[in-house]
Amino acid sequence: AKALGRANFQFYAEELNRAALERIELERKLRKALEQDQFELWYQPQFSAADGTLTGVEALIRWRHPVDGLISPARFIPLAEETGLIVELGNWVLHTACQQTRQWREQGLPAIRMSINLSTRQLRSAQLGDKVAAALAASGLPARLLELEITESAVMERPQEAVGVLIGLKALGVSIAIDDFGTGYSSLSYLKLFPLDHLKIDRSFVSDIEHDPNDAAIVTAAVSLAHNLGLSVIAEGVETAVQLTRLRELGCDEMQGYYFSPPVPAADAAELLRLSARC
Ligand code: C2E
Ligand code: CA
Ligand code: CA
Ligand code: CA
C-alpha cells in the first residue's frame, strides 16, 4: 500500500509539473504573440429586433499562431488575465477596434456601434479612462459609437468601485453594456447606480428558450428590469428562427448569434456593412 501511495504521489506530482510547464509555455508564447502581432479582431454583427437593421458589431479577439493555427480566446484570455498581459492586450484591442471603425468610415461604409470586451483587470486599472480617451482621439471615432462590454461578474465583484469607474467612462461619451447578464449574482440596487446603456442576456438562457419555461421566465424578468431602468436588451447566442421569434415576443431589442452570422474577419464584416447600407 505504501509503494502504491508513493507511485500515486509521483504520478500526481508529474501531472502537476506538466500542467505548470504547459502554462509557462503558453505564457511565453503569449508574450511573443504580442510582440509579433499575432492577434486579430473578428467582428460579429448585431441586429435590431424590430426591423432587422444592422446596429453594431462586437469585436472578438483571435490568436493566429504560426504553428498551432487559430486559438480561441477561451484558451488564452484567462491566462492573460492572471499574468496581467491582458492590460497590454486589451489596449491593443481598444486601439485596433477604434482604428477599424475609422477605416470603414473612410471607405464610405455606414457608421455603426463598435463594442469591445473589457476584462476585470482592465476595469481595475487606474489608466483605463485615459486609454479609452487616447484611442478615441487617435482614431477620431465619435465616442458615442464605442461601447464597452463589462461582465456582470466583473462589476459585481466590487460594485462600489465599479460605479465610480463606470461613471468616469460614461463621462467620455461612450456607452456601456453589461455582458453575460444572468450568469452572476447581481445586486439589483447596484444595477440602478451603474450608468448602463445595454444589457446582454447570456446565451445560456437563449439556447433552450423554446423548451425551458424557466429560461423564458428569466428573460422576461431581465427584459422588464432593463426596460424599467432605461436599458436596451441584446440577446446573445441566437441560433435559430424559433429563438429569434420567442426573444422578440419577450421584448428583446437586439439580436446577436450564429443564426445571423458568426464572428467574421474584418474584410467580411466590411461586406456585411456594405450590404446593410444597400437595403
Ligand atoms: P463573450 O463576450 O460572451 O462573447 C460571445 C461569445 O459567444 C463569442 O465567443 C462568440 O463567438 C460566441 N457566439 C456568438 N454567437 C454565438 C451563437 O449563436 N452560438 C454559440 N454557441 N456561440 C456564439 P468567442 O469569440 O470564442 O469569445 C469567448 C469569450 O472570450 C468572450 O465571451 C469574451 O468573454 C472573451 N473575449 C473575446 N474577445 C475578447 C477581448 O478582446 N477582450 C476580452 N477581455 N475578452 C474577450
Ligand atoms: Ca461580450
Ligand atoms: Ca456575453
Ligand atoms: Ca461569455
Side-chain angles (χ1 to χ4, degrees), residues 86-166:
I86 191 73
V87 174
E88 199 181 328
L89 195 58
N91 208 34
W92 177 86
V93 169
L94 179 61
H95 276 269
T96 307
C98 290
Q99 292 293 348
Q100 182 62 75
T101 317
R102 166 194 160 144
Q103 207 178 318
W104 284 336
R105 234 181 15 173
E106 285 170 357
Q107 293 168 4
L109 296 169
I112 44 125
R113 184 181 65 219
M114 169 65 74
S115 303
I116 64 162
N117 291 282
L118 290 186
S119 74
T120 312
R121 272 267 193 150
Q122 281 175 285
L123 195 64
R124 299 238 174 90
S125 119
Q127 301 91 29
L128 178 61
D130 294 343
K131 284 177 175 168
V132 171
L136 289 171
S139 62
L141 179 68
R144 65 180 169 79
L145 291 182
L146 181 65
E147 178 153 276
L148 307 175
E149 294 194 2
I150 301 164
T151 62
E152 180 186 30
S153 51
V155 289
M156 287 305 170
E157 215 168 280
R158 296 183 198 168
Q160 274 133 321
E161 263 175 57
V163 172
V165 173
L166 296 191

Side-chain angles (χ1 to χ4, degrees), residues 221-278:
V223 168
S224 147
L225 173 70
H227 286 171
N228 280 316
L229 293 172
L231 317 181
S232 158
V233 177
I234 303 176
E236 295 193 275
V238 183
E239 293 184 349
T240 68
V242 177
Q243 288 167 358
L244 166 63
T245 305
R246 194 76 188 101
L247 290 160
R248 197 190 268 141
E249 283 167 3
L250 296 181
C252 294
D253 303 289
E254 290 176 48
M255 307 283 163
Q256 178 179 357
Y258 294 170
Y259 178 67
F260 304 93
S261 166
V264 293
D268 299 349
E271 198 49 43
L272 286 173
L273 290 181
R274 201 165 287 126
L275 287 171
S276 85
R278 250 189 262 137

Side-chain angles (χ1 to χ4, degrees), residues 1-21:
K2 209 172 181 183
L4 195 63
R6 201 177 303 129
N8 269 340
F9 173 75
Q10 199 177 355
F11 175 73
Y12 181 64
E14 274 166 15
E15 276 295 296
L16 262 185
N17 217 358
R18 200 181 46 78
L21 283 174

Side-chain angles (χ1 to χ4, degrees), residues 208-221:
D208 201 25
I209 195 158
E210 68 255 47
H211 303 118
D212 189 341
N214 292 330
D215 287 347
I218 289 167
V219 172
T220 304

